[in-house]
Amino acid sequence: GADSINTGRTSLVLLQVARYLSSFTWALTGEGIFIFLCFASAGVESLHIAVRVAACWACLLVAMCALLWLQWASCSPPPDNLLLQLLWVGAWVPYWMRLLVMSIFYSAAFLVLGLHNRSLAWQRGSLALAGFNAAMAALFIIPKIVLGVFTPSWLLSDAVAVPLTWLAYV
């Protein structure tokens, strides 16, 4: 009865906390490295700024997902609209939300870095990393946009894209 409901809720909350913590560390390290590589210098001050900015982004990501989850996704069925489905799942699984946002961000960053001081961006690795991150996010998000979020192919695309994305980052 009541004990099994409380155990289920506790398990759900602990799973969400684990998802949020892993997404936080992924955003902090992934974007922290990228921001650091975008600086013209490799000094300690550049590293401190990059870590602070990435920490702010990671906190914003996790807080936004937690708010969406608490206020909407945890207490409602999946919506019919594709964009709302992506946001709904992103509230449950923040790395989805990160990849959704990062596909836009890294594509724009790749264009800006390619047009502005391309040789320095290539030397520092920020141009290559922006292209790589945009491609990884696209590999994850495009199948969901084309095939749908809640379809059997969603499971297949996750089964392929998630390990490839994690392996590529490691």
Side-chain angles (χ1 to χ4, degrees):
D3 287 339
S4 66
I5 290 172
N6 287 336
T7 302
R9 286 183 184 158
T10 301
S11 298
L12 179 65
V13 168
L14 290 175
L15 178 62
Q16 285 305 98
V17 168
R19 286 175 175 161
Y20 289 175
L21 287 175
S22 66
S23 296
F24 177 86
T25 57
W26 193 13
L28 176 66
T29 56
E31 276 68 66
I33 291 168
F34 175 73
I35 293 166
F36 177 68
L37 293 176
C38 286
F39 285 112
S41 75
V44 172
E45 187 60 31
S46 297
L47 179 62
H48 287 206
I49 292 169
V51 169
R52 286 184 195 120
V53 171
C56 287
W57 156 242
C59 287
L60 180 64
L61 172 72
V62 169
M64 179 181 65
C65 290
L67 183 63
L68 281 173
W69 185 71
L70 289 171
Q71 296 295 318
W72 174 51
S74 68
C75 54
S76 71
D80 293 330
N81 180 285
L82 177 65
L83 180 58
L84 291 177
Q85 287 177 355
L86 288 168
L87 292 175
W88 190 87
V89 173
W92 280 93
V93 187
Y95 72 83
W96 269 55
M97 187 73 76
R98 178 186 175 267
L99 289 171
L100 182 64
V101 173
M102 291 296 99
S103 64
I104 298 164
F105 171 76
Y106 279 116
S107 297
F110 183 76
L111 289 174
V112 168
L113 290 169
L115 296 173
H116 177 72
N117 207 353
R118 182 181 336 182
S119 63
L120 180 61
W122 184 256
Q123 281 180 330
R124 297 268 303 143
S126 58
L127 184 61
L129 187 57
F132 174 78
N133 284 337
M136 288 294 104
L139 173 70
F140 190 80
I141 295 297
I142 289 174
K144 280 129 188 94
I145 293 172
V146 172
L147 303 172
V149 176
F150 298 110
T151 64
S153 49
W154 161 67
L155 296 173
L156 178 62
S157 68
D158 263 16
V160 172
V162 172
L164 285 178
T165 303
W166 281 99
L167 285 174
Y169 276 103
V170 176

